[in-house]
Amino acid sequence: MLRIESISKTFNAGTVNEKKAVSGLSLHLEPGDFATIVGSNGAGKSTLFNAVAGNFYVDAGSITLDGRDITFVPEYKRSRVIGRLFQDPLRGTAPHMTIEENLALAYLRTSRGKAPFSRISKKDKAFFREKLALLDMGLEERMSQPVGLLSGGQRQALTLLMSTIVPPKLLLLDEHTAALDPGAAEKILALTKEIVASERITCMMVTHNMNQALSVGNRTLMMAAGNVVLDISGQEREGMTVDGLLVRFRDRAGRALDNDRILLSK
């Protein structure tokens, strides 16, 4: 499904600010895999996501999605088959547009090759209403209201729906619940698991919560120094504890995890 082969990316090469963000990173995801990713700041998590999403082209290596080489496919074309949520709930929506208009943009960009601002039918609007009702937030009764009036949790739920209203081949979740209050975060995570499972979406989720890293999805990846140093799944993952995971990380990375935010989430 997703095959990342030996990708590398260096920013500001040849300058005093040179930074090797990922180096020789390889990762293979099977269809329907849901991989959680943990790592300290600077481990390469966001660079990995940006490389897959097409924010930049990698210096070396290749990225293949569903059998198609997308290494040099521009970001706007990848966005038709790759959904992404960020930590900031404000990033995924247009605040001055209505809920319906936001959904329409997402729907038309990714479905049936239509261009944005094509005509939305009554059937499409009924479809939007049906999908919004599944969020159980009453948003189906507020479709004509500007998105800027919604709470952070509501906006993130809407962004999740926009990213999956036409199921993507790959969904990237970049700490998408971290900026929400505990109640909203729990609801968004539950919605995420429900949608990913029902649509069988292949998914990667960055999290700072170690318990989430072991309980959500079917694979746990840990990153350090621009590479994946630990990848566990199956029975090994089912029997793994947070402390055991930290020991395995130390053995593979050659040093203990030093991110207080992650460690305090144990």
Side-chain angles (χ1 to χ4, degrees):
M1 168 20 105
L2 176 68
R3 296 187 66 85
I4 299 172
E5 299 286 358
S6 302
I7 63 169
S8 296
K9 181 64 181 180
T10 299
F11 295 102
N12 304 311
T15 74
V16 295
N17 296 317
E18 179 174 307
K19 176 176 175 54
K20 185 172 290 185
V22 293
S23 180
L25 188 155
S26 295
L27 174 65
H28 303 158
L29 294 184
E30 298 297 327
D33 268 352
F34 190 158
T36 56
I37 304 175
V38 184
S40 299
N41 294 336
K45 306 182 300 296
S46 292
T47 303
L48 169 61
F49 273 23
N50 288 337
V52 172
N55 290 57
F56 51 72
Y57 295 147
V58 294
D59 300 330
S62 65
I63 303 171
T64 304
L65 182 63
D66 199 22
R68 180 190 179 195
D69 188 339
I70 62 169
T71 310
F72 297 108
V73 172
E75 180 181 11
Y76 77 92
K77 289 187 177 180
R78 296 191 206 188
S79 69
R80 296 172 184 167
V81 292
I82 298 176
R84 188 173 185 182
L85 272 74
F86 298 88
Q87 180 175 330
D88 185 355
L90 306 184
R91 289 192 63 176
T93 53
H96 300 298
M97 298 177 68
T98 67
I99 292 174
E100 181 182 302
E101 289 168 341
N102 273 269
L103 284 170
L105 282 176
Y107 182 63
L108 293 173
R109 186 186 71 248
T110 55
S111 66
R112 302 192 298 275
K114 290 183 179 179
F117 301 109
S118 297
R119 195 169 193 82
I120 288 291
S121 68
K122 289 183 178 180
K123 183 178 179 181
D124 292 332
K125 292 182 180 182
F127 175 64
F128 297 163
R129 185 181 180 87
E130 176 186 335
K131 289 294 185 180
L132 284 167
L134 295 177
L135 301 179
D136 194 27
M137 292 181 171
L139 298 184
E140 69 276 12
E141 304 297 339
R142 303 172 60 183
M143 289 176 60
S144 61
Q145 291 187 5
V147 167
L149 298 178
L150 303 182
S151 68
Q154 290 170 329
R155 285 183 74 159
Q156 198 70 312
L158 178 61
T159 304
L160 176 62
L161 180 55
M162 289 168 63
S163 297
T164 58
I165 193 165
V166 176
K169 293 183 178 179
L170 178 67
L171 181 62
L172 305 176
L173 306 171
D174 197 349
E175 293 198 81
H176 70 305
T177 64
L180 306 177
D181 66 75
E186 184 176 348
K187 180 153 191 172
I188 296 301
L189 184 60
L191 285 169
T192 300
K193 292 189 288 186
E194 181 180 337
I195 291 172
V196 168
S198 65
E199 300 292 347
R200 288 193 51 78
I201 299 172
T202 304
C203 181
M204 291 195 290
M205 182 180 83
V206 171
T207 179
H208 68 273
N209 187 302
M210 296 293 285
N211 288 303
Q212 278 186 8
L214 287 172
S215 63
V216 177
N218 67 315
R219 290 173 67 178
T220 299
L221 312 178
M222 296 194 75
M223 294 187 64
N227 223 315
V228 176
V229 297
L230 188 62
D231 180 356
I232 62 172
S233 59
Q235 290 185 345
E236 180 185 21
R237 185 177 189 259
E238 290 175 9
M240 183 66 66
T241 64
V242 171
D243 288 336
L245 188 63
L246 291 172
V247 170
R248 288 288 306 279
F249 174 84
R250 183 191 63 202
D251 292 343
R252 295 296 298 273
R255 59 180 177 80
L257 189 69
D258 58 0
N259 186 295
D260 290 341
R261 185 182 178 201
I262 295 175
L263 294 174
L264 288 172
S265 74
K266 288 173 59 180

